[in-house]
Amino acid sequence: AQSVTQLDSQVPVFEEAPVELRCNYSSSVSVYLFWYVQYPNQGLQLLLKYLSGSTLVKGINGFEAEFNKSQTSFHLRKPSVHISDTAEYFCAVSEDSWGKLQFGAGTQVVVTP
Amino acid sequence: DTAVSQTPKYLVTQMGNDKSIKCEQNLGHDTMYWYKQDSKKFLKIMFSYNNKELIINETVPNRFSPKSPDKAHLNLHINSLELGDSAVYFCASRYQGNNSPLHFGNGTRLTVT
């Protein structure tokens, strides 16, 4: 069975500072990895995904993530955040083609001036 | 606009009532999902339909019954509502296979009093 751990429940960060959100997963098979963002009172929006190939994945809004198979991690980074990046971020993993995603508990990013 | 749309956005009802949430997608996707997000923001899959066939049915009380009249619609009917059913319910859709990403609706906030 798969599981996803997001190590930080909340990450406060100043505007224009870098941010890293940590995600670790466990699975006995190959997985597909995703990061989603949820703005207040909205649905989830895909930031980026890793299916195969290059381990460094670039997404929307300047975010990127690196897949590390040996450490079973998929950490999300952004070199310089904006106030508008304040949101909840979810890491998710899927083992199959049916799209059954296992989500982490989420990390709330709060960007202050 | 192409999207996953859910109605209603907010639903307040009393214990014991029966209610439905509707979902429609005009993205041409063949697979649709219901996810439940609890008060701690934890997301858990409930059901999935592929071309009107039920393919994922997690451990959900049988008071919850999904219905898919066609591949663009997936409705959720809930009988005998309980306080613990209060949550945000998200509909999502995707193309099955190749791990194409989920597209989420904006959610239905259900409050049971």
Side-chain angles (χ1 to χ4, degrees), chain A residues 23 25 29-33 35 48-57 64-77 93:
Chain A
C23 173
Y25 68 92
V29 299
S30 295
V31 295
Y32 308 98
L33 296 154
W35 274 100
L48 48 78
K49 61 183 178 184
Y50 173 80
L51 303 182
S52 64
S54 172
T55 57
L56 182 62
V57 180
E64 64 180 31
E66 184 149 24
F67 170 56
N68 188 318
K69 188 174 181 179
S70 62
Q71 296 185 5
T72 59
S73 68
F74 191 54
H75 300 334
L76 180 71
R77 291 188 289 263
V93 61

Side-chain angles (χ1 to χ4, degrees), chain A residues 1-64:
Chain A
Q2 62 201 22
S3 68
V4 181
T5 303
Q6 290 183 242
L7 296 159
D8 306 295
S9 60
Q10 190 174 73
V11 173
V13 58
F14 288 111
E15 193 175 16
E16 298 183 8
V19 70
E20 179 179 79
L21 308 184
R22 296 178 292 169
C23 173
N24 287 89
Y25 68 92
S26 65
S27 175
S28 56
V29 299
S30 295
V31 295
Y32 308 98
L33 296 154
F34 306 82
W35 274 100
Y36 282 84
V37 60
Q38 184 179 25
Y39 298 106
N41 299 315
Q42 292 189 27
L44 281 76
Q45 180 182 356
L46 180 71
L47 275 178
L48 48 78
K49 61 183 178 184
Y50 173 80
L51 303 182
S52 64
S54 172
T55 57
L56 182 62
V57 180
K58 292 191 184 299
I60 62 171
N61 301 342
F63 283 93
E64 64 180 31

Side-chain angles (χ1 to χ4, degrees), chain B residues 49-66:
Chain B
Y49 271 73
N50 174 257
N51 284 321
K52 302 194 296 177
E53 272 194 57
L54 183 65
I55 55 170
I56 296 174
N57 186 355
E58 293 296 289
T59 307
V60 176
N62 57 15
R63 298 183 294 102
F64 290 77
S65 53

Side-chain angles (χ1 to χ4, degrees), chain B residues 16-66:
Chain B
N17 284 347
D18 303 339
K19 290 293 179 186
S20 291
I21 307 171
K22 295 187 176 182
C23 179
E24 175 183 6
Q25 56 92 7
N26 61 3
L27 299 164
H29 292 161
D30 57 4
T31 308
M32 296 184 72
Y33 304 78
W34 279 108
Y35 277 82
K36 178 181 180 180
Q37 186 175 45
D38 63 23
S39 58
K40 295 183 179 178
K41 302 263 179 144
F42 185 69
L43 275 155
K44 189 170 171 57
I45 191 168
M46 300 173 70
F47 302 103
S48 177
Y49 271 73
N50 174 257
N51 284 321
K52 302 194 296 177
E53 272 194 57
L54 183 65
I55 55 170
I56 296 174
N57 186 355
E58 293 296 289
T59 307
V60 176
N62 57 15
R63 298 183 294 102
F64 290 77
S65 53

